[in-house]
Amino acid sequence: MQYLVSVIFDSDGRATPEEAAAIDVFNDRVQADGHWVFAGGLASPATATVIDNRDGASVFTDGPFVETKEYVAGFWVFEAPDLDVALRLAADGSKACNRKVEVRPFLAPPE
Amino acid sequence: MTDAQAAVTRAHHEEWARVVATLTRRFGDLDVAEEATAEAFATAVERWPVDGVPPNPGGWLTTTANREAIDRIRRENKRDDKQKAAWMLHDDDPPEPTGAIDDERLRLIFTCCHPALAMETRVALTLRMVGGLTVPEISRAFLVQESAMGQRITRAKAKIKAARIPYRVPAAEDLAERVSGVLAVLFLVFNEGYLATGPDTPPVRHDLTAEAIRLTRLIRALLPRDGEVTGLLALMLLTEARRSARVSATGELVALDEQDRGAWDMTLIAEGHRLVRERLTVVATTGVAPGRYQILAAINAVHTSARDIRDTDWSQVVALYDQLLRVDSSPIVALNRAVAVAELDGPEVALAAVDRLDGALDGYHAYHATRALLLRRLGRSRPARAAYHRAIELAGNTAEIAYLTRRRDQLG
């Protein structure tokens, strides 16, 4: 079972050196414990481009698909047997990166 | 009621949670478990009056529900073998090696009260899955549209499944916190029954207080050594014992100092006192500090020990509130402490303490009601009237509003 853990933040700016160091320690532990799938930090929403090619016209729009005060600044994907494990990992991740996080399960494969 | 009907009612009280829990464990699906259990009880309502009550009603219901669940899964053909295997694996956690807490029903309770669910959702799900209340019954209890309540429960079940909220008793390191989450749900149900809100709601909802007590008894049977579980049960019993004395024939709240103590339920009080003594002994021998429910139960034990309001040991009550403030430093605790201080040190000292809570409790009716009471005792009629007025505006319980209104009008 995989969980997306989105890091929620409300301003530009990268992690401080202390935060980055704590994230490294956390990531090492997640990898050692076998929960690691993928993770990454994202550039600010202002750098986003929205593409709509549903009718083949490939319209590009500058900026994010929705303007919000808080946005996803990065994410982890964890492998975890159940939500309790995912929540514990997410809580430690929130502490390490010093930001709020949201846990969301991936859809189970279709039956 | 015929014997068969009575047997179904009794089985519903005693076996519902166990059947739902056993099926959830076996099929890994709350939906299937709930529907099959409801179906088994519907079958019992039909069959038992005709065939007679089976010698082992719980076993009969489990077997019938199991068969129903298998039929349902076959009919809907919802799961292929691969997923079934995954579910079985997921459900196969060994029980926590803590002895007494290895009960299917505990898994069910912890799942329904999971912290990833909203509080109101936990309440609804617990009443449905563990308490066996129907969706219309739960909607009525919380004055919510039936369709909205049904949706809330459906969404919760979908989240449990999609996010894979585990069906198990939490690990030892999380247990205390998770138990306190369960107790918060039960206390909320009890309080909504004890001080029901809403203009068209009877002031006391005995169905809800009784259900909360029943479920807390169940948790105590499953976790007999947990002090807070025992404390909450004692607190509920000592509160419930005063229920009939607390509202007058005309539907008005009767304050503690005016209650007919002869109308208190002495059986419930005796049981509550026994539980409080049990905890006092454990606390004295182990030195483990009591939590808030145990302290609240002790406060209620002091009140219910006095045959007359004048016999109340107020210094003991204030000392217990001091202890409670160390566990829970909320302004509401400070407000209740002030009420006891008024009896010990006089209304002036109490009013000074209450006035310090102004910022935090301005929107809370009991804050203004307490101020009104103290101001009245100090002979300050005008500010007392204003405080009563504010309390009436904020109060939601019909019996309380009637009481506050009469008190205000007495001021002339």
Side-chain angles (χ1 to χ4, degrees), chain A residues 1 3 82-84 88 111, chain B residues 78 114 162-164 168 174:
Chain A
M1 181 87 187
Y3 294 86
D82 59 50
L83 186 67
D84 280 359
R88 237 188 324 266
E111 292 170 24
Chain B
K78 269 163 89 172
H114 196 276
R164 203 178 272 195
R168 65 159 171 252
D174 299 331

Side-chain angles (χ1 to χ4, degrees), chain B residues 40 105 114 139 165 177 309 350 373-374:
Chain B
R105 288 170 296 179
H114 196 276
S139 326
I165 287 180
E177 205 184 318
I309 181 83
L373 183 81
L374 296 171

Side-chain angles (χ1 to χ4, degrees), chain B residues 274-296:
Chain B
R274 189 172 53 70
L275 294 174
V276 170
R277 278 196 303 274
E278 178 189 310
R279 288 313 307 166
L280 285 175
T281 311
V282 173
V283 167
T285 50
T286 62
V288 178
R292 65 186 288 251
Y293 295 123
Q294 290 169 78
I295 300 170
L296 282 168

